[in-house]
Amino acid sequence: MAHSSPHLSVDDERALDRFERGIRALKIEFDRYFNGAIPIPPEEERNRLFGDLREMRSRPMPSLADRFRLSTLEARLNALNELYNRKLRDFELSGRPAAVAAGAIDPYSGVIVGERPEAGAVRALYEELYRASGRQKKTDFESFRSFLERETAKIRRKTGCERVRFRVTEKSGKLKLRARPVDASGRDLGS
């Protein structure tokens, strides 16, 4: 997404655009690693992005909007880095990526639920919401499963979809459960 600013040189604007694309690509590569699609984590890409960030931070950014955009991108990169460092620690403890260890169910990529949720998928979401956050469980597994069934039914009635993708997301350091309707092939239908 190009942001034009009268204060930012074309080269700096391109560098910020490349940096933003690089963050999106890093997220995809880490997701591929944790899902077992690639054998080694994308450390080289991560190190390159942090090098790019240091270089851009050393340049003067003439306007507040330019500095804000760079700070926002830096925050996104740092949040992804924290999330992936946690997942990498899990990998080191278990000897394989968390998604593979849990039977290829990755709560961060999403679990698709139809009329009746599969117990293993519900368990993966339930455990990740509490394990990663360190919070005490506020509800038992069966209550959580019932909650997912109710939410799925509500979204299906509202949107006419057959299935719903639930996934664990991180925002401001807190884990949340997000839901989106999906079509028969598993593609998101929107909000």
PDB file of all heavy atoms in Angstrom, residues 99-119:
ATOM      1  N   ALA A  99       2.347 -26.473  16.037  1.00  0.00           N
ATOM      2  CA  ALA A  99       1.216 -26.921  15.218  1.00  0.00           C
ATOM      3  C   ALA A  99       1.358 -28.391  14.865  1.00  0.00           C
ATOM      4  O   ALA A  99       0.388 -29.136  14.878  1.00  0.00           O
ATOM      5  CB  ALA A  99       1.121 -26.091  13.944  1.00  0.00           C
ATOM      6  N   VAL A 100       2.567 -28.836  14.567  1.00  0.00           N
ATOM      7  CA  VAL A 100       2.776 -30.233  14.232  1.00  0.00           C
ATOM      8  C   VAL A 100       2.597 -31.080  15.489  1.00  0.00           C
ATOM      9  O   VAL A 100       2.012 -32.150  15.456  1.00  0.00           O
ATOM     10  CB  VAL A 100       4.170 -30.442  13.601  1.00  0.00           C
ATOM     11  CG1 VAL A 100       4.462 -31.904  13.381  1.00  0.00           C
ATOM     12  CG2 VAL A 100       4.257 -29.674  12.295  1.00  0.00           C
ATOM     13  N   ALA A 101       3.103 -30.585  16.625  1.00  0.00           N
ATOM     14  CA  ALA A 101       2.980 -31.326  17.877  1.00  0.00           C
ATOM     15  C   ALA A 101       1.517 -31.511  18.262  1.00  0.00           C
ATOM     16  O   ALA A 101       1.154 -32.489  18.885  1.00  0.00           O
ATOM     17  CB  ALA A 101       3.718 -30.593  18.994  1.00  0.00           C
ATOM     18  N   ALA A 102       0.671 -30.580  17.897  1.00  0.00           N
ATOM     19  CA  ALA A 102      -0.754 -30.670  18.243  1.00  0.00           C
ATOM     20  C   ALA A 102      -1.539 -31.345  17.131  1.00  0.00           C
ATOM     21  O   ALA A 102      -2.736 -31.136  17.007  1.00  0.00           O
ATOM     22  CB  ALA A 102      -1.306 -29.268  18.509  1.00  0.00           C
ATOM     23  N   GLY A 103      -0.910 -32.139  16.297  1.00  0.00           N
ATOM     24  CA  GLY A 103      -1.626 -32.843  15.234  1.00  0.00           C
ATOM     25  C   GLY A 103      -1.954 -31.936  14.073  1.00  0.00           C
ATOM     26  O   GLY A 103      -3.003 -32.081  13.450  1.00  0.00           O
ATOM     27  N   ALA A 104      -1.071 -30.990  13.755  1.00  0.00           N
ATOM     28  CA  ALA A 104      -1.224 -30.059  12.632  1.00  0.00           C
ATOM     29  C   ALA A 104      -2.385 -29.093  12.820  1.00  0.00           C
ATOM     30  O   ALA A 104      -2.840 -28.495  11.876  1.00  0.00           O
ATOM     31  CB  ALA A 104      -1.335 -30.805  11.310  1.00  0.00           C
ATOM     32  N   ILE A 105      -2.863 -28.932  14.046  1.00  0.00           N
ATOM     33  CA  ILE A 105      -3.889 -27.929  14.323  1.00  0.00           C
ATOM     34  C   ILE A 105      -3.176 -26.704  14.871  1.00  0.00           C
ATOM     35  O   ILE A 105      -2.544 -26.766  15.920  1.00  0.00           O
ATOM     36  CB  ILE A 105      -4.937 -28.436  15.343  1.00  0.00           C
ATOM     37  CG1 ILE A 105      -5.675 -29.638  14.766  1.00  0.00           C
ATOM     38  CG2 ILE A 105      -5.895 -27.325  15.715  1.00  0.00           C
ATOM     39  CD1 ILE A 105      -6.601 -30.323  15.748  1.00  0.00           C
ATOM     40  N   ASP A 106      -3.239 -25.612  14.127  1.00  0.00           N
ATOM     41  CA  ASP A 106      -2.566 -24.389  14.542  1.00  0.00           C
ATOM     42  C   ASP A 106      -3.613 -23.338  14.885  1.00  0.00           C
ATOM     43  O   ASP A 106      -4.245 -22.780  13.991  1.00  0.00           O
ATOM     44  CB  ASP A 106      -1.646 -23.891  13.431  1.00  0.00           C
ATOM     45  CG  ASP A 106      -0.871 -22.645  13.831  1.00  0.00           C
ATOM     46  OD1 ASP A 106      -0.977 -22.205  14.994  1.00  0.00           O
ATOM     47  OD2 ASP A 106      -0.155 -22.108  12.970  1.00  0.00           O
ATOM     48  N   PRO A 107      -3.804 -23.034  16.172  1.00  0.00           N
ATOM     49  CA  PRO A 107      -4.816 -22.058  16.577  1.00  0.00           C
ATOM     50  C   PRO A 107      -4.572 -20.657  16.028  1.00  0.00           C
ATOM     51  O   PRO A 107      -5.493 -19.864  15.945  1.00  0.00           O
ATOM     52  CB  PRO A 107      -4.738 -22.053  18.098  1.00  0.00           C
ATOM     53  CG  PRO A 107      -3.921 -23.217  18.485  1.00  0.00           C
ATOM     54  CD  PRO A 107      -3.115 -23.622  17.304  1.00  0.00           C
ATOM     55  N   TYR A 108      -3.318 -20.350  15.637  1.00  0.00           N
ATOM     56  CA  TYR A 108      -3.013 -19.024  15.108  1.00  0.00           C
ATOM     57  C   TYR A 108      -3.391 -18.917  13.632  1.00  0.00           C
ATOM     58  O   TYR A 108      -3.737 -17.846  13.162  1.00  0.00           O
ATOM     59  CB  TYR A 108      -1.538 -18.672  15.316  1.00  0.00           C
ATOM     60  CG  TYR A 108      -1.222 -18.452  16.775  1.00  0.00           C
ATOM     61  CD1 TYR A 108      -0.727 -19.491  17.555  1.00  0.00           C
ATOM     62  CD2 TYR A 108      -1.448 -17.229  17.373  1.00  0.00           C
ATOM     63  CE1 TYR A 108      -0.460 -19.307  18.895  1.00  0.00           C
ATOM     64  CE2 TYR A 108      -1.194 -17.023  18.709  1.00  0.00           C
ATOM     65  CZ  TYR A 108      -0.694 -18.070  19.474  1.00  0.00           C
ATOM     66  OH  TYR A 108      -0.440 -17.878  20.808  1.00  0.00           O
ATOM     67  N   SER A 109      -3.308 -20.020  12.905  1.00  0.00           N
ATOM     68  CA  SER A 109      -3.727 -20.016  11.500  1.00  0.00           C
ATOM     69  C   SER A 109      -5.241 -20.137  11.398  1.00  0.00           C
ATOM     70  O   SER A 109      -5.845 -19.646  10.462  1.00  0.00           O
ATOM     71  CB  SER A 109      -3.084 -21.176  10.737  1.00  0.00           C
ATOM     72  OG  SER A 109      -1.713 -20.981  10.658  1.00  0.00           O
ATOM     73  N   GLY A 110      -5.830 -20.807  12.351  1.00  0.00           N
ATOM     74  CA  GLY A 110      -7.282 -20.908  12.387  1.00  0.00           C
ATOM     75  C   GLY A 110      -7.780 -22.337  12.344  1.00  0.00           C
ATOM     76  O   GLY A 110      -7.140 -23.219  11.782  1.00  0.00           O
ATOM     77  N   VAL A 111      -8.912 -22.528  12.977  1.00  0.00           N
ATOM     78  CA  VAL A 111      -9.591 -23.806  13.033  1.00  0.00           C
ATOM     79  C   VAL A 111     -10.964 -23.596  12.428  1.00  0.00           C
ATOM     80  O   VAL A 111     -11.712 -22.725  12.853  1.00  0.00           O
ATOM     81  CB  VAL A 111      -9.711 -24.284  14.501  1.00  0.00           C
ATOM     82  CG1 VAL A 111     -10.572 -25.507  14.607  1.00  0.00           C
ATOM     83  CG2 VAL A 111      -8.326 -24.531  15.088  1.00  0.00           C
ATOM     84  N   ILE A 112     -11.291 -24.384  11.412  1.00  0.00           N
ATOM     85  CA  ILE A 112     -12.588 -24.237  10.749  1.00  0.00           C
ATOM     86  C   ILE A 112     -13.596 -25.145  11.438  1.00  0.00           C
ATOM     87  O   ILE A 112     -13.337 -26.336  11.644  1.00  0.00           O
ATOM     88  CB  ILE A 112     -12.485 -24.539   9.245  1.00  0.00           C
ATOM     89  CG1 ILE A 112     -11.569 -23.493   8.592  1.00  0.00           C
ATOM     90  CG2 ILE A 112     -13.857 -24.547   8.596  1.00  0.00           C
ATOM     91  CD1 ILE A 112     -11.342 -23.680   7.121  1.00  0.00           C
ATOM     92  N   VAL A 113     -14.733 -24.557  11.801  1.00  0.00           N
ATOM     93  CA  VAL A 113     -15.768 -25.266  12.540  1.00  0.00           C
ATOM     94  C   VAL A 113     -17.049 -25.282  11.719  1.00  0.00           C
ATOM     95  O   VAL A 113     -17.488 -24.244  11.228  1.00  0.00           O
ATOM     96  CB  VAL A 113     -16.019 -24.580  13.911  1.00  0.00           C
ATOM     97  CG1 VAL A 113     -17.155 -25.239  14.656  1.00  0.00           C
ATOM     98  CG2 VAL A 113     -14.749 -24.587  14.748  1.00  0.00           C
ATOM     99  N   GLY A 114     -17.634 -26.444  11.583  1.00  0.00           N
ATOM    100  CA  GLY A 114     -18.931 -26.588  10.930  1.00  0.00           C
ATOM    101  C   GLY A 114     -20.033 -26.583  11.970  1.00  0.00           C
ATOM    102  O   GLY A 114     -19.938 -25.905  12.989  1.00  0.00           O
ATOM    103  N   GLU A 115     -21.055 -27.390  11.743  1.00  0.00           N
ATOM    104  CA  GLU A 115     -22.188 -27.423  12.677  1.00  0.00           C
ATOM    105  C   GLU A 115     -21.759 -27.895  14.064  1.00  0.00           C
ATOM    106  O   GLU A 115     -22.169 -27.349  15.069  1.00  0.00           O
ATOM    107  CB  GLU A 115     -23.278 -28.342  12.125  1.00  0.00           C
ATOM    108  CG  GLU A 115     -24.579 -28.219  12.875  1.00  0.00           C
ATOM    109  CD  GLU A 115     -25.702 -28.953  12.184  1.00  0.00           C
ATOM    110  OE1 GLU A 115     -25.667 -29.083  10.951  1.00  0.00           O
ATOM    111  OE2 GLU A 115     -26.616 -29.389  12.895  1.00  0.00           O
ATOM    112  N   ARG A 116     -20.927 -28.934  14.109  1.00  0.00           N
ATOM    113  CA  ARG A 116     -20.424 -29.454  15.389  1.00  0.00           C
ATOM    114  C   ARG A 116     -18.901 -29.403  15.366  1.00  0.00           C
ATOM    115  O   ARG A 116     -18.271 -30.026  14.521  1.00  0.00           O
ATOM    116  CB  ARG A 116     -20.879 -30.891  15.617  1.00  0.00           C
ATOM    117  CG  ARG A 116     -22.354 -31.069  15.571  1.00  0.00           C
ATOM    118  CD  ARG A 116     -23.103 -31.351  16.826  1.00  0.00           C
ATOM    119  NE  ARG A 116     -22.394 -32.020  17.885  1.00  0.00           N
ATOM    120  CZ  ARG A 116     -22.529 -31.652  19.146  1.00  0.00           C
ATOM    121  NH1 ARG A 116     -23.287 -30.639  19.475  1.00  0.00           N
ATOM    122  NH2 ARG A 116     -21.898 -32.297  20.091  1.00  0.00           N
ATOM    123  N   PRO A 117     -18.287 -28.676  16.291  1.00  0.00           N
ATOM    124  CA  PRO A 117     -16.829 -28.561  16.293  1.00  0.00           C
ATOM    125  C   PRO A 117     -16.141 -29.875  16.652  1.00  0.00           C
ATOM    126  O   PRO A 117     -16.617 -30.617  17.502  1.00  0.00           O
ATOM    127  CB  PRO A 117     -16.544 -27.502  17.351  1.00  0.00           C
ATOM    128  CG  PRO A 117     -17.821 -27.142  17.979  1.00  0.00           C
ATOM    129  CD  PRO A 117     -18.926 -27.882  17.312  1.00  0.00           C
ATOM    130  N   GLU A 118     -15.019 -30.146  15.989  1.00  0.00           N
ATOM    131  CA  GLU A 118     -14.206 -31.320  16.287  1.00  0.00           C
ATOM    132  C   GLU A 118     -13.492 -31.090  17.623  1.00  0.00           C
ATOM    133  O   GLU A 118     -12.932 -30.019  17.871  1.00  0.00           O
ATOM    134  CB  GLU A 118     -13.194 -31.500  15.158  1.00  0.00           C
ATOM    135  CG  GLU A 118     -12.248 -32.646  15.367  1.00  0.00           C
ATOM    136  CD  GLU A 118     -11.129 -32.638  14.353  1.00  0.00           C
ATOM    137  OE1 GLU A 118     -11.378 -32.295  13.176  1.00  0.00           O
ATOM    138  OE2 GLU A 118     -10.010 -32.963  14.756  1.00  0.00           O
ATOM    139  N   ALA A 119     -13.504 -32.104  18.484  1.00  0.00           N
ATOM    140  CA  ALA A 119     -12.946 -31.970  19.835  1.00  0.00           C
ATOM    141  C   ALA A 119     -11.477 -31.549  19.819  1.00  0.00           C
ATOM    142  O   ALA A 119     -11.061 -30.701  20.608  1.00  0.00           O
ATOM    143  CB  ALA A 119     -13.120 -33.265  20.608  1.00  0.00           C
TER     144      ALA A 119
END
